[in-house]
Amino acid sequence: MNDSRDQRELRASDADRDRVAEDLREAAAEGRLSLTELDERIDALYAAKTYGELELVVDDLPGIILPGNTPAAPRTPLATGGSVPDRVGGQPGGRSVKVVFSGVQRRGRWVVPSRYSVKAVFGGAELDLTEAQLETHEVDIEITTVFGGAVVYIPADVHVVVDGNGIFGGFADEASARQPPPGAPVVRISGKAVFGGVSVKRKPVES
């Protein structure tokens, strides 16, 4: 029995299923799945017991890295004494997401596209880049909120530039005051907040 088959036969956790469910919802937001297909796959996902069964749910969707299929990225020590994943590299699962009367969260291990569009209409978005990789050394995230909100968590080793506009709303930049040394990867955040808000916050490196 080879290693890949061994891996597929391992039992998946609830956290694994929740993470794949996020990817399915994003695929639906991108138009890759209809709402009916999304419901069917969510049902199949939560009935799955092994990594191999999870794979069957998403095997025709591009860019989804299943838990257990890929080893964790190596971690590189920082001068601050903490550690973070290698920041640059990887293949993103999608380049845009739109939520209406709902919400989206991206946390844990994921790849931020070089250009990423986020729209929240009567909904919310949370982007946590703490354990994320960036597709390129510099990425642009455009966020549009209409009667909604978004929060972006920037890790300590990433330089951030915030340049958004508010219309009866606003962008709250709580991250730019503390920047890493020159040469760090860069995340640029722009967009509009209409009757809503966008908050950009800095997360410390966990030792």
Side-chain angles (χ1 to χ4, degrees):
M1 185 180 295
N2 59 42
D3 291 342
S4 61
R5 184 179 174 187
D6 288 344
Q7 196 76 345
R8 290 196 301 270
E9 291 179 353
L10 293 177
R11 290 272 180 156
S13 69
D14 287 339
D16 293 330
R17 284 181 278 269
D18 289 342
R19 181 174 153 194
V20 176
E22 288 277 338
D23 290 327
L24 287 174
R25 293 187 185 100
E26 182 163 339
E30 294 169 355
R32 299 184 192 276
L33 298 174
S34 68
L35 292 179
T36 299
E37 289 172 321
L38 175 62
D39 288 340
E40 291 172 349
R41 296 201 188 202
I42 290 290
D43 288 342
L45 169 66
Y46 282 101
K49 294 181 174 62
T50 66
Y51 287 132
E53 291 171 349
L54 292 184
E55 186 176 340
L56 293 175
V57 178
V58 298
D59 62 358
D60 61 342
L61 296 173
I64 295 179
I65 300 175
L66 286 172
N69 274 12
T70 302
R75 302 180 74 85
T76 304
L78 292 178
T80 57
S83 61
V84 296
D86 287 345
R87 282 291 172 211
V88 181
Q91 179 66 38
R95 299 186 181 273
S96 65
V97 61
K98 180 178 180 179
V99 292
V100 181
F101 290 104
S102 62
V104 63
Q105 292 180 329
R106 295 309 308 262
R107 296 175 176 172
R109 297 282 190 173
W110 64 293
V111 179
V112 186
S114 58
R115 298 188 65 85
Y116 193 41
S117 173
V118 179
K119 296 182 180 179
V121 181
F122 290 98
E126 178 183 322
L127 307 179
D128 189 340
L129 277 57
T130 306
E131 298 182 44
Q133 290 179 289
L134 310 180
E135 182 183 21
T136 53
H137 191 267
E138 298 186 10
V139 305
D140 293 284
I141 302 176
E142 183 179 11
I143 302 175
T144 303
T145 64
V146 181
F147 290 98
V151 59
V152 184
Y153 293 105
I154 304 293
D157 64 313
V158 171
H159 186 93
V160 65
V161 179
V162 181
D163 184 21
N165 299 313
I167 303 174
F168 296 103
F171 272 67
D173 179 7
E174 303 174 23
S176 295
R178 290 179 292 135
Q179 300 281 19
V186 178
V187 172
R188 295 187 177 90
I189 299 175
S190 61
K192 291 183 179 180
V194 183
F195 290 100
V198 176
S199 296
V200 182
K201 303 181 179 182
R202 180 75 68 177
K203 269 199 170 182
V205 174
E206 297 180 2
S207 56

